[in-house]
Structures are given as structure tokens and as C-alpha cells.
Amino acid sequence: MKKIMAGNFEELNCWKECYNLKVYLKENVLIKLPKNEKFELYSQILRAARSSTANIAEGWGSYHYKENINFLRYSRGSVSEILDHSVEAKDCDYINLETLKEIRLQVEKCIQLINGYIRYLSNKNDEK
């Protein structure tokens, strides 16, 4: 199958937006968490953020539409997990409401872009 996609996963808008979310979390959330959350919430947020971009990259590298879509679904799940952990961080007063609102906006954008890429790949798969 000939690949009709970006030349590199880093060119994908969904990967770029998930990467931006990961950076935002590192700079605005993880540094605010108390030391007693180092192996709990901190670890969960960091793993989900890393997973969001890693799954997009892994799917892109699979060269198969259906497999790529499955990895995108995992990425979308990780992005949703980030929001859940961020709500928990807000509930514990580790982050403020404005930070949570920004995370919500970024999460929504990530999910929209991932869903768009899933639609694109599904259409390409149907064309085969």
C-alpha cells in the first residue's frame, strides 16, 4: 500500500497539538503538584501525556490504515485521561480553574484533530 500521509508524524496537526498539551502540562501542572503526588497523579499525567503523542507516532509508523486508527483511538483515550487527571488536580487545589479551563480547551482541540485524522484515514481505507 502506498502511503499518502505526512512525511513525518511530527507534521500531523493532531500530534503537534498533543505535543503542545504535553508541554503545557509540564510547565503549568506537573511543577505545581506536591511531592507526595510524585508517584501518583504526577506519574499518571505524565504517562498519559507521553502516550498521547507516542500512540500517534506509532500508528503513523504502522503504514496500515486500520492499525493507525486503533493507535489514534488509544491517543484519544490518553487525552481524555489527561482531562480526568486535571479535574482531580483542580479538586485537590493543585491547579486553579483557569489552568483547568486551558487544559479543557487544549484537550477538545486534540480530540477534534484526532477525530479528523481518524475520519481521513477511514475514508482512505474505504477508497482502497
Side-chain angles (χ1 to χ4, degrees):
M1 163 172 57
K2 186 172 178 171
K3 191 170 183 175
I4 307 174
M5 291 190 293
N8 184 305
F9 65 85
E10 292 171 297
E11 295 174 17
L12 298 171
N13 289 331
C14 58
W15 184 89
K16 290 176 188 177
E17 197 60 36
C18 287
Y19 180 84
N20 291 339
L21 175 58
K22 180 170 53 175
V23 170
Y24 182 84
L25 292 166
K26 287 178 180 179
E27 293 175 352
N28 297 283
V29 176
L30 295 180
I31 61 171
K32 294 180 179 179
L33 298 179
K35 292 203 184 296
N36 66 320
E37 289 286 6
K38 180 73 173 173
F39 299 105
E40 300 296 331
L41 193 55
Y42 182 102
S43 178
Q44 292 284 353
I45 292 171
L46 185 58
R47 284 198 318 255
R50 288 176 173 168
S51 177
S52 70
T53 55
N55 277 301
I56 293 170
E58 191 168 355
W60 181 89
S62 72
Y63 292 91
H64 297 284
Y65 294 117
K66 288 182 181 180
E67 192 172 342
N68 194 345
I69 289 168
N70 283 336
F71 280 106
L72 290 167
R73 289 178 177 142
Y74 300 143
S75 177
R76 186 175 59 198
S78 294
V79 171
S80 296
E81 183 181 350
I82 288 167
L83 179 56
D84 180 71
H85 293 317
S86 299
V87 169
E88 177 73 16
K90 168 61 180 86
D91 288 348
C92 293
D93 291 323
Y94 300 149
I95 62 172
N96 62 31
L97 184 57
E98 291 308 310
T99 300
L100 180 59
K101 285 180 181 178
E102 178 58 30
I103 292 167
R104 277 188 197 281
L105 290 173
Q106 289 190 35
V107 162
E108 288 172 14
K109 188 168 184 182
C110 289
I111 289 174
Q112 286 175 349
L113 289 169
I114 291 168
N115 286 340
Y117 191 35
I118 289 171
R119 278 190 303 278
Y120 169 81
L121 291 174
S122 294
N123 291 337
K124 285 294 179 189
N125 188 47
D126 291 345
E127 290 175 8
K128 291 192 329 178

